[in-house]
Amino acid sequence: MAEKKDYYAVLGVSKDADEKQIKKTYRKLAMQYHPDRNQSPDAEEKFKEISEAYGVLSDPEKRKRYDQFGHAGIDSRYSPEDIFGGIHFEDIFGGRGSGGFGQGGFEGIFDMFFGGGGGAGGAGGYGSRTVPQRGGDLRYDLHISLAGAVHGTESKIRLMRTETCDTCGGSGAKPGTSPKTCANCKGAGQVNQVRRTPFGQFITSTPCRQCRGTGKVIESPCSSCNGTGRVRRAKTISVSIPAGIETGSRLRIVGEGEHGVHGGPPGDLYVVMHIEPNSVFVRDTDNILYELSIRFTQATLGDEVVVPTLHGDVKMKIPPGTQADSTLRLRGKGMPKLHGRGKGDQLVKIKIIVPKHPSTRERELLAELQKIEGKTGQGKSAGSTGGAGSKGETGDKKRKGIFEKVKDAFE
Protein backbone atom coordinates (compact mmCIF):
# COMPACT_ATOMS: atom_id res chain seq x y z
CA MET A 1 0.00 0.00 0.00
CA ALA A 2 1.50 3.24 -1.14
CA GLU A 3 1.77 5.77 1.64
CA LYS A 4 -0.26 8.91 0.99
CA LYS A 5 1.37 12.26 1.56
CA ASP A 6 0.20 14.57 4.30
CA TYR A 7 -2.58 16.76 2.88
CA TYR A 8 -1.18 19.91 4.51
CA ALA A 9 2.23 19.19 2.97
CA VAL A 10 0.65 18.58 -0.45
CA LEU A 11 -0.88 22.05 -0.46
CA GLY A 12 2.05 23.62 1.37
CA VAL A 13 -0.07 25.13 4.15
CA SER A 14 0.19 24.94 7.93
CA LYS A 15 -2.25 22.91 10.05
CA ASP A 16 -3.81 26.10 11.39
CA ALA A 17 -4.43 27.56 7.92
CA ASP A 18 -7.95 28.99 7.51
CA GLU A 19 -10.42 28.16 4.73
CA LYS A 20 -9.58 31.27 2.74
CA GLN A 21 -5.86 30.51 2.72
CA ILE A 22 -6.45 26.86 1.74
CA LYS A 23 -8.72 27.90 -1.14
CA LYS A 24 -6.26 30.53 -2.39
CA THR A 25 -3.34 28.09 -2.30
CA TYR A 26 -5.30 25.36 -4.07
CA ARG A 27 -6.47 27.74 -6.79
CA LYS A 28 -2.87 28.72 -7.52
CA LEU A 29 -1.63 25.12 -7.61
CA ALA A 30 -4.57 23.92 -9.70
CA MET A 31 -3.91 26.56 -12.36
CA GLN A 32 -0.26 25.51 -12.35
CA TYR A 33 -0.73 21.75 -12.64
CA HIS A 34 -3.88 21.29 -14.71
CA PRO A 35 -2.85 19.07 -17.68
CA ASP A 36 -4.30 21.54 -20.18
CA ARG A 37 -1.71 24.05 -18.99
CA ASN A 38 1.10 21.82 -17.78
CA GLN A 39 2.41 19.23 -20.25
CA SER A 40 4.74 17.42 -17.83
CA PRO A 41 4.07 13.65 -17.50
CA ASP A 42 3.10 13.83 -13.83
CA ALA A 43 0.91 16.95 -14.09
CA GLU A 44 -2.40 15.05 -14.04
CA GLU A 45 -1.44 12.99 -10.99
CA LYS A 46 -0.22 16.12 -9.23
CA PHE A 47 -3.50 17.86 -10.05
CA LYS A 48 -5.50 14.95 -8.63
CA GLU A 49 -3.29 14.90 -5.53
CA ILE A 50 -3.76 18.57 -4.70
CA SER A 51 -7.48 18.34 -5.50
CA GLU A 52 -7.90 15.43 -3.10
CA ALA A 53 -6.07 17.38 -0.40
CA TYR A 54 -8.28 20.40 -1.01
CA GLY A 55 -11.44 18.28 -1.07
CA VAL A 56 -10.65 17.09 2.46
CA LEU A 57 -9.19 20.24 4.05
CA SER A 58 -11.88 22.55 2.65
CA ASP A 59 -14.64 20.50 4.27
CA PRO A 60 -14.88 21.07 8.07
CA GLU A 61 -16.15 17.56 8.84
CA LYS A 62 -13.59 15.77 6.65
CA ARG A 63 -10.80 17.99 7.95
CA LYS A 64 -11.74 17.21 11.56
CA ARG A 65 -11.66 13.46 10.90
CA TYR A 66 -8.34 13.77 9.05
CA ASP A 67 -6.76 15.77 11.91
CA GLN A 68 -7.94 13.13 14.37
CA PHE A 69 -7.36 9.86 12.50
CA GLY A 70 -5.17 10.72 9.52
CA HIS A 71 -5.79 9.01 6.16
CA ALA A 72 -7.45 6.05 7.90
CA GLY A 73 -10.29 8.31 9.03
CA ILE A 74 -10.89 9.51 5.46
CA ASP A 75 -10.37 6.31 3.46
CA SER A 76 -12.67 4.27 5.71
CA ARG A 77 -15.57 6.73 5.47
CA TYR A 78 -15.42 8.68 2.22
CA SER A 79 -15.28 7.52 -1.39
CA PRO A 80 -13.37 9.49 -4.05
CA GLU A 81 -16.70 10.89 -5.23
CA ASP A 82 -17.37 12.22 -1.71
CA ILE A 83 -14.03 14.02 -1.76
CA PHE A 84 -13.81 15.31 -5.33
CA GLY A 85 -17.57 15.86 -5.64
CA GLY A 86 -17.43 18.41 -2.85
CA ILE A 87 -15.12 20.72 -4.82
CA HIS A 88 -17.07 23.57 -6.43
CA PHE A 89 -14.74 24.41 -9.29
CA GLU A 90 -17.00 27.14 -10.64
CA ASP A 91 -16.65 29.01 -7.33
CA ILE A 92 -12.90 28.54 -7.11
CA PHE A 93 -12.17 29.53 -10.72
CA GLY A 94 -15.19 31.80 -11.23
CA GLY A 95 -14.75 34.58 -13.80
CA ARG A 96 -12.19 32.67 -15.85
CA GLY A 97 -14.61 30.74 -18.03
CA SER A 98 -14.17 27.27 -19.40
CA GLY A 99 -11.24 28.48 -21.45
CA GLY A 100 -9.18 28.42 -18.30
CA PHE A 101 -9.10 24.62 -18.48
CA GLY A 102 -9.33 23.90 -22.16
CA GLN A 103 -12.39 23.19 -24.26
CA GLY A 104 -13.94 20.77 -21.80
CA GLY A 105 -14.29 23.30 -18.98
CA PHE A 106 -15.26 21.90 -15.60
CA GLU A 107 -16.82 18.91 -17.28
CA GLY A 108 -13.32 17.89 -18.30
CA ILE A 109 -12.16 18.08 -14.71
CA PHE A 110 -14.89 15.66 -13.60
CA ASP A 111 -13.95 13.31 -16.43
CA MET A 112 -10.38 13.31 -15.17
CA PHE A 113 -11.46 12.22 -11.68
CA PHE A 114 -14.24 9.79 -12.55
CA GLY A 115 -13.22 8.35 -15.88
CA GLY A 116 -15.43 9.75 -18.63
CA GLY A 117 -19.13 10.32 -19.16
CA GLY A 118 -18.80 13.92 -17.97
CA GLY A 119 -21.73 16.24 -18.26
CA ALA A 120 -23.61 13.87 -20.56
CA GLY A 121 -24.63 11.76 -17.62
CA GLY A 122 -22.78 8.65 -18.78
CA ALA A 123 -21.99 5.70 -16.56
CA GLY A 124 -18.51 6.92 -15.84
CA GLY A 125 -19.55 9.93 -13.73
CA TYR A 126 -20.75 9.74 -10.16
CA GLY A 127 -22.14 6.36 -10.96
CA SER A 128 -18.57 5.13 -10.35
CA ARG A 129 -19.71 4.81 -6.74
CA THR A 130 -20.89 1.34 -7.75
CA VAL A 131 -17.45 0.18 -8.86
CA PRO A 132 -15.49 -1.97 -6.39
CA GLN A 133 -13.78 0.09 -3.70
CA ARG A 134 -11.07 -1.13 -1.36
CA GLY A 135 -11.90 -1.20 2.35
CA GLY A 136 -10.19 1.12 4.79
CA ASP A 137 -7.15 0.15 6.86
CA LEU A 138 -7.42 -0.28 10.63
CA ARG A 139 -4.98 0.34 13.49
CA TYR A 140 -4.77 -1.58 16.75
CA ASP A 141 -2.39 -0.69 19.60
CA LEU A 142 -1.15 -3.87 21.30
CA HIS A 143 0.70 -3.88 24.64
CA ILE A 144 2.90 -6.87 25.53
CA SER A 145 5.45 -7.66 28.24
CA LEU A 146 9.21 -7.46 27.77
CA ALA A 147 9.36 -11.24 28.14
CA GLY A 148 6.87 -11.57 25.28
CA ALA A 149 9.09 -9.36 23.13
CA VAL A 150 12.15 -11.49 23.98
CA HIS A 151 10.69 -14.88 23.13
CA GLY A 152 7.94 -13.92 20.70
CA THR A 153 4.32 -14.70 21.45
CA GLU A 154 0.88 -15.29 20.01
CA SER A 155 -1.76 -12.76 21.00
CA LYS A 156 -5.48 -12.62 20.31
CA ILE A 157 -6.94 -9.18 19.73
CA ARG A 158 -10.56 -8.14 19.49
CA LEU A 159 -11.59 -5.21 17.35
CA MET A 160 -14.64 -3.64 15.74
CA ARG A 161 -14.73 -3.32 11.99
CA THR A 162 -17.19 -2.73 9.15
CA GLU A 163 -18.07 -5.89 7.25
CA THR A 164 -20.38 -6.85 4.40
CA CYS A 165 -23.87 -7.64 5.64
CA ASP A 166 -24.42 -11.41 5.54
CA THR A 167 -28.20 -11.05 5.27
CA CYS A 168 -28.32 -9.11 2.01
CA GLY A 169 -24.83 -9.89 0.71
CA GLY A 170 -23.97 -6.20 0.65
CA SER A 171 -26.79 -5.09 -1.66
CA GLY A 172 -28.66 -3.28 1.10
CA ALA A 173 -31.97 -4.71 -0.15
CA LYS A 174 -34.26 -7.03 1.76
CA PRO A 175 -33.66 -10.70 0.81
CA GLY A 176 -35.84 -11.56 -2.18
CA THR A 177 -35.70 -8.00 -3.52
CA SER A 178 -33.09 -5.98 -5.37
CA PRO A 179 -32.18 -2.30 -5.78
CA LYS A 180 -33.99 -0.42 -8.56
CA THR A 181 -32.51 1.99 -11.05
CA CYS A 182 -32.87 5.55 -9.82
CA ALA A 183 -35.55 7.36 -11.83
CA ASN A 184 -34.14 10.78 -11.05
CA CYS A 185 -30.69 10.25 -12.61
CA LYS A 186 -31.50 7.23 -14.81
CA GLY A 187 -28.87 5.20 -13.00
CA ALA A 188 -26.03 7.64 -13.72
CA GLY A 189 -25.60 8.61 -10.08
CA GLN A 190 -25.29 12.28 -11.05
CA VAL A 191 -27.42 15.13 -12.27
CA ASN A 192 -26.21 17.91 -14.54
CA GLN A 193 -27.03 21.58 -14.46
CA VAL A 194 -26.34 23.83 -17.44
CA ARG A 195 -25.33 27.42 -16.72
CA ARG A 196 -24.93 30.03 -19.42
CA THR A 197 -22.52 32.88 -18.73
CA PRO A 198 -20.87 35.58 -20.86
CA PHE A 199 -17.82 33.30 -20.95
CA GLY A 200 -19.65 30.31 -22.34
CA GLN A 201 -21.77 27.38 -21.20
CA PHE A 202 -20.87 25.46 -18.07
CA ILE A 203 -22.15 22.01 -17.15
CA THR A 204 -21.99 21.31 -13.42
CA SER A 205 -22.31 17.70 -12.29
CA THR A 206 -23.43 16.91 -8.74
CA PRO A 207 -24.33 13.66 -6.96
CA CYS A 208 -27.94 12.64 -7.26
CA ARG A 209 -29.63 13.36 -3.94
CA GLN A 210 -32.25 10.68 -4.40
CA CYS A 211 -29.82 7.78 -4.73
CA ARG A 212 -26.80 9.51 -3.13
CA GLY A 213 -24.73 8.96 -6.24
CA THR A 214 -25.17 5.18 -6.43
CA GLY A 215 -27.60 5.14 -9.36
CA LYS A 216 -29.77 2.69 -7.40
CA VAL A 217 -32.72 3.10 -5.04
CA ILE A 218 -33.53 0.55 -2.37
CA GLU A 219 -37.29 0.30 -1.91
CA SER A 220 -37.21 -2.49 0.70
CA PRO A 221 -34.11 -2.03 2.90
CA CYS A 222 -32.45 -4.98 4.61
CA SER A 223 -33.42 -5.05 8.29
CA SER A 224 -29.95 -6.17 9.40
CA CYS A 225 -28.01 -3.24 7.91
CA ASN A 226 -30.84 -0.71 7.33
CA GLY A 227 -30.08 -0.65 3.64
CA THR A 228 -26.38 0.22 3.89
CA GLY A 229 -25.10 -3.24 2.94
CA ARG A 230 -22.56 -3.01 5.76
CA VAL A 231 -22.59 -3.75 9.50
CA ARG A 232 -20.27 -3.14 12.44
CA ARG A 233 -19.09 -6.39 13.94
CA ALA A 234 -16.57 -7.57 16.55
CA LYS A 235 -13.75 -9.72 15.23
CA THR A 236 -11.11 -11.73 17.13
CA ILE A 237 -7.80 -12.11 15.30
CA SER A 238 -4.72 -14.07 16.27
CA VAL A 239 -1.49 -12.10 15.87
CA SER A 240 1.93 -13.76 15.76
CA ILE A 241 4.53 -11.48 17.34
CA PRO A 242 8.16 -12.18 16.37
CA ALA A 243 10.95 -12.26 18.96
CA GLY A 244 12.85 -8.98 19.22
CA ILE A 245 9.90 -6.72 18.35
CA GLU A 246 10.30 -3.08 19.43
CA THR A 247 7.92 -0.39 20.61
CA GLY A 248 6.57 1.46 17.59
CA SER A 249 6.96 -1.50 15.22
CA ARG A 250 3.95 -2.11 12.96
CA LEU A 251 2.75 -5.56 12.00
CA ARG A 252 0.70 -5.58 8.80
CA ILE A 253 -2.03 -8.22 8.62
CA VAL A 254 -3.26 -8.28 5.04
CA GLY A 255 -7.00 -8.40 4.47
CA GLU A 256 -8.09 -7.91 8.09
CA GLY A 257 -9.18 -4.30 7.75
CA GLU A 258 -12.57 -2.91 6.77
CA HIS A 259 -14.45 -4.89 4.11
CA GLY A 260 -14.53 -3.39 0.64
CA VAL A 261 -17.56 -1.87 -1.05
CA HIS A 262 -19.29 -3.37 -4.10
CA GLY A 263 -17.04 -6.40 -4.05
CA GLY A 264 -13.83 -4.44 -3.52
CA PRO A 265 -10.93 -6.02 -1.58
CA PRO A 266 -10.67 -5.52 2.19
CA GLY A 267 -8.17 -3.15 3.75
CA ASP A 268 -5.31 -4.19 6.02
CA LEU A 269 -4.90 -4.22 9.78
CA TYR A 270 -1.84 -2.52 11.25
CA VAL A 271 -0.92 -3.66 14.76
CA VAL A 272 1.27 -1.06 16.51
CA MET A 273 3.44 -2.60 19.24
CA HIS A 274 4.02 -1.19 22.72
CA ILE A 275 6.46 -2.99 25.08
CA GLU A 276 5.49 -2.54 28.73
CA PRO A 277 8.22 -1.36 31.17
CA ASN A 278 9.82 -4.09 33.31
CA SER A 279 10.52 -3.63 37.01
CA VAL A 280 13.86 -5.49 36.81
CA PHE A 281 15.28 -5.06 33.32
CA VAL A 282 15.62 -2.05 31.04
CA ARG A 283 15.83 -2.45 27.28
CA ASP A 284 18.44 -0.51 25.31
CA THR A 285 17.96 -1.45 21.62
CA ASP A 286 19.25 -5.07 21.51
CA ASN A 287 20.86 -4.94 24.97
CA ILE A 288 19.32 -5.44 28.41
CA LEU A 289 20.44 -3.32 31.38
CA TYR A 290 20.43 -4.79 34.89
CA GLU A 291 21.71 -3.47 38.23
CA LEU A 292 23.40 -5.91 40.62
CA SER A 293 24.09 -5.02 44.25
CA ILE A 294 27.06 -6.78 45.91
CA ARG A 295 28.91 -6.41 49.20
CA PHE A 296 32.18 -4.49 49.26
CA THR A 297 33.99 -7.67 50.29
CA GLN A 298 32.73 -9.41 47.13
CA ALA A 299 33.91 -6.47 45.05
CA THR A 300 37.34 -6.54 46.72
CA LEU A 301 38.03 -10.28 46.77
CA GLY A 302 35.93 -11.33 43.76
CA ASP A 303 33.14 -13.90 43.79
CA GLU A 304 30.77 -15.96 41.67
CA VAL A 305 27.11 -14.94 41.82
CA VAL A 306 23.82 -15.96 40.20
CA VAL A 307 22.34 -13.25 37.97
CA PRO A 308 18.76 -13.29 36.59
CA THR A 309 18.32 -12.75 32.84
CA LEU A 310 15.36 -12.86 30.49
CA HIS A 311 16.68 -16.24 29.37
CA GLY A 312 16.98 -17.72 32.89
CA ASP A 313 19.46 -17.45 35.77
CA VAL A 314 23.17 -17.64 34.93
CA LYS A 315 26.40 -17.68 36.95
CA MET A 316 28.69 -14.68 36.62
CA LYS A 317 32.19 -14.10 37.98
CA ILE A 318 32.96 -10.84 39.73
CA PRO A 319 36.67 -10.06 39.25
CA PRO A 320 38.66 -9.02 42.36
CA GLY A 321 38.87 -5.25 42.69
CA THR A 322 35.59 -4.56 40.90
CA GLN A 323 34.69 -0.88 41.26
CA ALA A 324 31.29 0.65 41.95
CA ASP A 325 29.30 1.59 38.81
CA SER A 326 31.48 -0.60 36.62
CA THR A 327 29.70 -2.73 33.99
CA LEU A 328 30.08 -6.45 33.39
CA ARG A 329 28.81 -8.07 30.20
CA LEU A 330 26.84 -11.29 29.76
CA ARG A 331 27.13 -12.00 26.05
CA GLY A 332 24.09 -13.27 24.18
CA LYS A 333 21.69 -12.67 27.08
CA GLY A 334 19.97 -9.64 25.59
CA MET A 335 17.22 -9.18 22.98
CA PRO A 336 17.05 -11.25 19.80
CA LYS A 337 17.90 -9.18 16.73
CA LEU A 338 14.63 -8.68 14.84
CA HIS A 339 16.18 -8.23 11.40
CA GLY A 340 19.34 -10.29 11.88
CA ARG A 341 20.92 -13.21 13.65
CA GLY A 342 22.03 -13.57 17.22
CA LYS A 343 21.17 -11.65 20.35
CA GLY A 344 22.33 -8.57 22.16
CA ASP A 345 24.04 -8.66 25.57
CA GLN A 346 22.98 -8.11 29.15
CA LEU A 347 24.96 -5.30 30.73
CA VAL A 348 25.26 -5.67 34.51
CA LYS A 349 25.98 -2.45 36.37
CA ILE A 350 27.62 -3.02 39.76
CA LYS A 351 26.31 -1.31 42.88
CA ILE A 352 28.32 -1.84 46.11
CA ILE A 353 26.44 -2.16 49.40
CA VAL A 354 27.99 -0.42 52.40
CA PRO A 355 26.58 -1.76 55.71
CA LYS A 356 24.68 0.87 57.70
CA HIS A 357 24.70 -0.95 61.04
CA PRO A 358 27.75 -3.30 61.31
CA SER A 359 27.94 -5.61 64.31
CA THR A 360 30.56 -5.32 67.05
CA ARG A 361 32.69 -8.06 65.49
CA GLU A 362 32.40 -6.43 62.05
CA ARG A 363 33.48 -3.10 63.49
CA GLU A 364 36.51 -4.72 65.11
CA LEU A 365 37.59 -6.34 61.86
CA LEU A 366 37.04 -3.16 59.85
CA ALA A 367 39.04 -1.17 62.40
CA GLU A 368 41.86 -3.71 62.13
CA LEU A 369 41.69 -3.46 58.34
CA GLN A 370 41.83 0.33 58.53
CA LYS A 371 44.88 0.10 60.80
CA ILE A 372 46.68 -2.24 58.37
CA GLU A 373 45.83 -0.02 55.37
CA GLY A 374 47.18 3.00 57.22
CA LYS A 375 50.49 1.25 57.96
CA THR A 376 50.96 -0.10 54.44
CA GLY A 377 50.15 3.31 53.03
CA GLN A 378 52.90 4.94 55.16
CA GLY A 379 55.40 2.26 54.15
CA LYS A 380 54.75 2.76 50.43
CA SER A 381 55.02 6.52 50.64
CA ALA A 382 58.51 6.25 52.15
CA GLY A 383 59.93 5.43 48.75
CA SER A 384 62.46 2.85 50.07
CA THR A 385 63.15 -0.31 48.10
CA GLY A 386 64.08 -3.53 49.92
CA GLY A 387 62.53 -3.28 53.38
CA ALA A 388 59.50 -1.28 52.29
CA GLY A 389 58.66 -3.88 49.66
CA SER A 390 58.71 -6.64 52.24
CA LYS A 391 56.50 -4.62 54.56
CA GLY A 392 54.12 -3.92 51.63
CA GLU A 393 53.87 -7.60 50.78
CA THR A 394 53.28 -8.46 54.44
CA GLY A 395 50.61 -5.74 54.63
CA ASP A 396 48.82 -7.09 51.52
CA LYS A 397 48.69 -10.56 53.06
CA LYS A 398 47.36 -9.19 56.34
CA ARG A 399 44.81 -7.06 54.51
CA LYS A 400 43.59 -10.01 52.47
CA GLY A 401 43.34 -12.09 55.61
CA ILE A 402 41.28 -9.42 57.32
CA PHE A 403 39.03 -9.11 54.25
CA GLU A 404 38.41 -12.86 54.37
CA LYS A 405 37.41 -12.55 58.01
CA VAL A 406 35.19 -9.55 57.22
CA LYS A 407 33.58 -11.45 54.39
CA ASP A 408 32.87 -14.42 56.67
CA ALA A 409 31.54 -12.10 59.36
CA PHE A 410 29.19 -10.26 56.99
CA GLU A 411 27.93 -13.53 55.53
Side-chain angles (χ1 to χ4, degrees):
M1 181 185 68
E3 287 287 337
K4 287 187 176 182
K5 296 179 182 178
D6 177 72
Y7 285 144
Y8 292 100
V10 169
L11 291 182
V13 297
S14 63
K15 289 191 174 183
D16 58 356
D18 58 22
E19 184 179 347
K20 183 177 180 181
Q21 183 180 357
I22 290 174
K23 182 176 180 179
K24 180 179 179 182
T25 303
Y26 169 67
R27 184 176 182 275
K28 179 180 178 182
L29 292 173
M31 297 295 289
Q32 177 182 350
Y33 287 104
H34 192 279
D36 286 345
R37 291 181 165 224
N38 191 323
Q39 301 302 313
S40 61
D42 61 343
E44 181 173 334
E45 285 304 314
K46 183 67 176 177
F47 183 79
K48 289 180 180 179
E49 184 180 60
I50 60 176
S51 296
E52 178 180 341
Y54 177 74
V56 171
L57 299 184
S58 62
D59 185 292
E61 181 182 349
K62 296 186 182 74
R63 184 175 181 179
K64 182 179 179 181
R65 285 188 63 84
Y66 176 70
D67 289 341
Q68 187 173 2
F69 302 106
H71 288 290
I74 299 299
D75 297 341
S76 63
R77 182 163 181 172
Y78 301 103
S79 68
E81 290 82 2
D82 291 323
I83 297 174
F84 292 118
I87 305 176
H88 302 291
F89 293 99
E90 64 273 19
D91 292 337
I92 298 170
F93 305 103
R96 289 187 171 267
S98 60
F101 288 137
Q103 296 181 351
F106 300 121
E107 177 184 348
I109 299 178
F110 283 109
D111 290 346
M112 182 188 305
F113 293 141
F114 305 120
Y126 281 95
S128 61
R129 271 181 177 271
T130 59
V131 303
Q133 298 174 26
R134 181 181 182 276
D137 294 330
L138 293 177
R139 167 179 173 146
Y140 187 94
D141 290 272
L142 179 60
H143 296 255
I144 64 171
S145 65
L146 183 59
V150 170
H151 304 292
T153 185
E154 194 83 12
S155 182
K156 292 187 180 298
I157 64 175
R158 185 177 175 83
L159 53 86
M160 295 294 295
R161 70 181 184 186
T162 302
E163 299 183 355
T164 301
C165 177
D166 294 332
T167 305
C168 64
S171 70
K174 182 179 178 180
T177 67
S178 59
K180 305 296 183 182
T181 299
C182 176
N184 187 48
C185 65
K186 305 296 188 294
Q190 66 180 14
V191 291
N192 304 310
Q193 294 179 338
V194 179
R195 296 175 56 197
R196 291 179 174 82
T197 72
F199 300 99
Q201 179 176 290
F202 293 109
I203 301 177
T204 303
S205 299
T206 58
C208 174
R209 292 185 178 182
Q210 187 168 332
C211 66
R212 296 182 179 180
T214 63
K216 300 288 184 180
V217 175
I218 300 173
E219 296 177 344
S220 301
C222 169
S223 59
S224 298
C225 64
N226 296 321
T228 63
R230 294 157 69 78
V231 294
R232 294 286 291 173
R233 186 176 294 140
K235 173 73 173 180
T236 300
I237 298 172
S238 182
V239 181
S240 180
I241 301 167
I245 198 78
E246 299 180 39
T247 290
S249 297
R250 297 196 310 169
L251 301 178
R252 179 188 178 192
I253 305 177
V254 178
E256 292 293 355
E258 306 270 21
H259 282 199
V261 181
H262 305 304
D268 300 331
L269 169 64
Y270 288 87
V271 180
V272 182
M273 302 304 304
H274 301 272
I275 314 302
E276 296 285 2
N278 189 280
S279 60
V280 177
F281 304 102
V282 176
R283 182 175 184 173
D284 181 18
T285 61
D286 294 328
N287 294 327
I288 293 295
L289 309 181
Y290 175 76
E291 282 193 356
L292 176 66
S293 296
I294 62 174
R295 297 183 300 277
F296 71 94
T297 51
Q298 291 175 294
T300 303
L301 301 175
D303 201 356
E304 185 174 78
V305 297
V306 175
V307 178
T309 76
L310 288 165
H311 305 276
D313 293 347
V314 298
K315 291 183 178 181
M316 183 183 74
K317 289 185 177 181
I318 299 176
T322 297
Q323 300 298 304
D325 294 329
S326 60
T327 300
L328 303 179
R329 185 183 298 269
L330 293 173
R331 297 194 178 278
K333 298 301 179 182
M335 296 294 298
K337 297 181 184 296
L338 183 60
H339 300 295
R341 296 180 179 178
K343 299 182 181 71
D345 303 328
Q346 178 163 310
L347 306 178
V348 182
K349 188 173 184 179
I350 299 298
K351 295 294 182 181
I352 297 179
I353 303 172
V354 177
K356 292 183 179 180
H357 306 289
S359 65
T360 302
R361 177 56 179 160
E362 292 167 350
R363 286 177 177 275
E364 292 174 353
L365 292 170
L366 290 173
E368 188 176 349
L369 176 62
Q370 187 178 41
K371 185 177 179 181
I372 293 173
E373 288 179 334
K375 289 182 178 180
T376 54
Q378 291 175 1
K380 290 180 182 178
S381 64
S384 57
T385 53
S390 300
K391 290 180 181 179
E393 290 174 5
T394 303
D396 287 341
K397 290 180 181 180
K398 287 183 179 181
R399 184 165 56 232
K400 185 175 182 181
I402 293 296
F403 261 113
E404 292 289 356
K405 292 179 180 179
V406 172
K407 182 178 179 182
D408 293 340
F410 274 86
E411 291 179 347

